[in-house]
Amino acid sequence: MMTTIETKRLVLRKPINDDWADMRDFFMSERAQYVGGPYTLGRAWRQFSAEVGHWSLLGCGMWAVTEKTCGKLQGFVGAWCPADWPEREIGWVMLERAEGKGFGFEAAQAAIHDVYNRLKWDTAVSYIMHENVRSIALALRLGATLDKHAQRPNSEAYPCLVYRHPKSEVLS
């Protein structure tokens, strides 16, 4: 199992306990509105635990994105495959301090490359809430296209658009 990915400016690693405080603050804030939040403390803990546990159960998951120069957490990006999701997803949640630096794009490119090349996925999608214009813009920048016919996870509780990612060779 791969434990880190390095890009020009970032290190993507498995989540660790030290990531909890930053992710708790994210999940309990208005910034989490596009991932079902803001959460209570207990729900934030369960979401963070699901991120960590994903790696143990599936051998992949959301990478903790850290900046090489300072090691500070910038967000989570990567594989997200809950048992009730219709397809395997590339997801991202970036902390406010990461905005406007291109970290989400750089990390998502690396994660897409990983799922297609190391994990041998044949397809990947991103489920994005209609109002999340920043996430939609990132998906489009990554080369994803809107798939109007794709199945959505629990569409009543999570009304979303589905963006399908091209194979990573297209992103090179």
Side-chain angles (χ1 to χ4, degrees), residues 31-140:
R31 290 185 61 79
Q33 66 183 312
Y34 300 121
V35 293
Y39 297 159
T40 62
L41 178 62
R43 181 124 186 256
W45 173 253
R46 286 185 288 283
Q47 182 64 38
F48 178 77
S49 297
E51 302 284 359
V52 173
H54 217 82
W55 285 92
S56 294
L57 294 171
L58 301 174
C60 64
M62 299 274 268
W63 299 97
V65 178
T66 62
E67 191 175 358
K68 275 185 182 178
T69 57
C70 64
K72 202 167 190 125
L73 183 69
Q74 302 298 317
F76 278 15
V77 173
W80 185 242
C81 318
D84 60 347
W85 246 221
E87 294 192 58
R88 294 179 285 198
E89 180 180 16
I90 298 294
W92 47 79
V93 292
M94 299 306 291
L95 303 179
E96 188 171 9
R97 65 176 159 251
E99 283 188 10
K101 298 178 182 176
F103 290 162
F105 178 75
E106 189 173 326
Q109 272 191 316
I112 291 167
H113 185 269
D114 181 61
V115 300
Y116 281 135
N117 293 291
R118 181 179 65 89
L119 298 177
K120 305 297 185 203
W121 288 11
D122 57 352
T123 191
V125 299
S126 289
Y127 298 112
I128 303 174
M129 304 276 289
H130 294 77
E131 305 83 17
N132 193 345
V133 295
R134 292 180 71 105
S135 240
I136 291 169
L138 176 55
L140 293 171

